Amino acid sequence: AQSVTQLGSHVSVSEGALVLLRCNYSSSVPPYLFWYVQYPNQGLQLLLKYTTGATLVKGINGFEAEFKKSETSFHLTKPSAHMSDAAEYFCAVSDYGGSQGNLIFGKGTKLSVKP
Amino acid sequence: NAGVMQNPRHLVRRRGQEARLRCSPMKGHSHVYWYRQLPEEGLKFMVYLQKENIIDESGMPKERFSAEFPKEGPSILRIQQVVRGDSAAYFCASSPQGLGQETQYFGPGTRLLVL
């Protein structure tokens, strides 16, 4: 069965500092991987996704993630944090074992940005 | 606004009542997914539907929960005889073809509180 692990339920960085949110997955087949962001009391918005091809994926708001098959990781980074980045971030993988369409989510990482 | 719409945004029910949550997918999308988010947890898949068909309900509780996506009108998630443990945020997502690599677009969610 596929699963997603996000290390660190809370991450705090200073404004202007590097943001690194960790995501590891388990999958017996090449995965489709996603990062979503959720602001308080809102739905999820796609930041970026990996399907095939280039392993470094660029998304919205200056975020990017690198798919590393050997490490089964898909960590999310941003060179310089902004106050508006404070939100909860979810890593997800498509469920091949199920109907292929539904997503399996990690438990999320809440990002705080200090001024 | 051509995004995924959910209503109501907030719903309060007393134990034993019924809750009906509605989801209108994005225009042109015929695949709908329901997820539940419990406090401090990630999103958990519940059910995947196409028009007039339930494709995968492996994440649905066996009792009291049902879902439909009729030919006309929104998808509905129905919870009968609600209990306090049903209190959660329920999110609907839609995609064009139900493929694993597609982006799922999420609605703003319905926050259910059971008193």
Side-chain angles (χ1 to χ4, degrees):
Chain A
Q2 291 165 281
S3 64
V4 175
T5 302
Q6 291 184 240
L7 291 176
S9 58
H10 290 84
V11 170
S12 182
V13 300
S14 297
E15 192 172 19
L18 171 72
V19 176
L20 170 60
L21 304 181
R22 300 178 186 274
C23 173
N24 289 86
Y25 67 90
S26 68
S27 176
S28 58
V29 297
Y32 299 135
L33 295 158
F34 304 79
W35 275 101
Y36 282 86
V37 60
Q38 184 181 32
Y39 297 99
N41 296 316
Q42 294 188 26
L44 279 69
Q45 179 184 9
L46 181 73
L47 279 175
L48 49 79
K49 67 179 180 181
Y50 170 79
T51 55
T52 58
T55 56
L56 181 62
V57 181
K58 295 186 184 298
I60 62 172
N61 302 339
F63 284 93
E64 61 183 38
E66 186 171 11
F67 169 59
K68 291 187 176 180
K69 184 179 178 181
S70 61
E71 299 177 7
T72 60
S73 69
F74 190 56
H75 302 330
L76 182 70
T77 60
K78 182 174 180 178
S80 177
H82 192 272
M83 297 295 291
S84 61
D85 294 327
E88 190 158 20
Y89 293 79
F90 292 95
C91 182
V93 63
S94 279
D95 181 12
Y96 278 87
S99 52
Q100 188 176 19
N102 56 284
L103 296 172
I104 297 171
F105 285 88
K107 291 192 174 184
T109 298
K110 287 185 179 175
L111 175 66
S112 301
V113 181
K114 298 175 291 186
Chain B
N1 187 345
V4 178
M5 300 180 67
Q6 290 187 250
N7 66 81
R9 293 289 305 273
H10 299 272
L11 183 61
V12 180
R13 286 287 179 265
R14 297 191 181 278
R15 282 178 294 169
Q17 291 184 319
E18 179 180 287
R20 282 187 181 233
L21 289 61
R22 295 174 182 77
C23 169
S24 296
M26 283 183 72
K27 188 175 181 180
H29 289 191
S30 58
H31 297 255
V32 165
Y33 309 83
W34 285 93
Y35 295 86
R36 177 164 63 175
Q37 184 179 33
L38 293 168
E40 306 302 320
E41 294 284 330
L43 278 73
K44 301 289 187 185
F45 166 75
M46 299 182 74
V47 62
Y48 163 33
L49 309 105
Q50 283 180 266
K51 285 283 188 181
E52 300 185 278
N53 286 303
I54 297 175
I55 307 301
D56 181 356
E57 56 182 351
S58 59
M60 287 276 271
K62 299 298 182 199
E63 298 177 348
R64 301 188 298 107
F65 285 72
S66 62
E68 63 177 5
F69 190 13
K71 186 177 181 180
E72 301 291 338
S75 175
I76 295 177
L77 179 68
R78 181 184 179 202
I79 311 172
Q80 295 178 290
Q81 300 176 333
V82 296
V83 301
R84 289 205 173 127
D86 297 333
S87 295
Y90 292 83
F91 291 95
C92 165
S94 73
S95 69
Q97 298 179 7
L99 300 176
Q101 65 266 46
E102 288 181 333
T103 298
Q104 290 187 19
Y105 295 86
F106 283 79
T110 294
R111 282 150 182 86
L112 173 65
L113 176 62
V114 180
L115 302 176

